[in-house]
Amino acid sequence: MNITEKKVSRKNSTRMLVLTAMFACLAFVLNTFVYFPSMAPFQHFVNVLSAVILGPWYGGVSALICGIMRILSGRTIQAVTGAIFGPIIGGLIYKKTKNIYLVFIGEVIGTGLFGAMASYPLMRLFYGLDVQSPFYYIPFYTPSAVVGAAMGVAVLLILKRSGVLNRMVNELK
């Protein structure tokens, strides 16, 4: 790898890290100021955007950073477990298929099923909740994921139609 390629690679890594932090902050601010009891649809909105624009791993890191910030501001461990699976699964699906609609399904399955089931043992361990079933959180997580992922897909479709999405993704390659 020559010097020019190293500079371009370093520049793209910096862009990805900055965008990861920006998506985490966007999700945190939206979830803080637009509050729904027991729901965080804007987390899923940002997860879908970051999964497509940044990819699964940076999208997952963005969700993790936001979840940690939400925990530090008084939320439970569910702020992390309910967020990190969606962008990873949605991003992997998008990476394989390039289908924006399937990112929706990945976000809903990742959050509504895997995130909800990952929350169960952690809520028992850290908070001592006496919940009887590992499926307890699924009805709470899924509606939030559906609403937020639908908003994210709508924005991505608008960006794709205008040609902005392709330019954004190409700039990060």
Side-chain angles (χ1 to χ4, degrees):
M1 192 181 289
N2 63 30
I3 294 173
T4 307
E5 289 174 341
K6 285 182 182 179
K7 286 182 182 179
V8 169
S9 176
R10 201 171 313 145
K11 183 178 178 181
N12 286 344
S13 295
T14 303
R15 283 183 182 173
M16 293 291 281
L17 291 173
V18 168
L19 282 173
T20 300
M22 288 176 63
F23 277 120
C25 290
L26 176 65
F28 178 75
V29 168
L30 288 174
N31 284 313
T32 301
F33 293 112
V34 183
Y35 180 73
F36 298 98
S38 302
M39 291 181 74
F42 287 105
Q43 177 67 55
H44 311 296
F45 166 71
V46 174
N47 284 352
V48 167
L49 296 177
S50 66
V52 171
I53 295 170
L54 300 175
W57 308 116
Y58 283 101
V61 169
S62 174
L64 176 65
I65 292 168
C66 177
I68 291 169
M69 290 190 300
R70 290 175 63 206
I71 288 173
L72 293 174
S73 69
R75 301 278 190 237
T76 65
I77 192 80
Q78 293 175 327
V80 172
T81 58
I84 59 172
F85 295 102
I88 293 172
I89 294 173
L92 288 171
I93 290 171
Y94 182 76
K95 191 175 183 180
K96 189 79 171 166
T97 66
K98 300 296 183 200
N99 187 329
I100 292 174
Y101 296 106
L102 292 180
V103 178
F104 173 87
I105 293 170
E107 175 67 29
V108 172
I109 289 172
T111 297
L113 184 63
F114 296 126
M117 292 187 66
S119 293
Y120 171 75
L122 296 174
M123 291 300 286
R124 286 191 70 152
L125 178 68
F126 292 122
Y127 300 97
L129 292 181
D130 188 29
V131 179
Q132 300 300 318
S133 171
F135 304 109
Y136 176 78
Y137 292 108
I138 292 174
F140 301 106
Y141 280 40
T142 305
S144 178
V146 168
V147 170
M151 291 187 303
V153 167
V155 169
L156 286 173
L157 291 172
I158 292 168
L159 291 174
K160 186 175 183 176
R161 181 172 287 164
S162 67
V164 173
L165 180 62
N166 291 334
R167 280 186 287 172
M168 289 170 66
V169 172
N170 288 336
E171 279 291 320
L172 295 173
K173 287 183 181 179

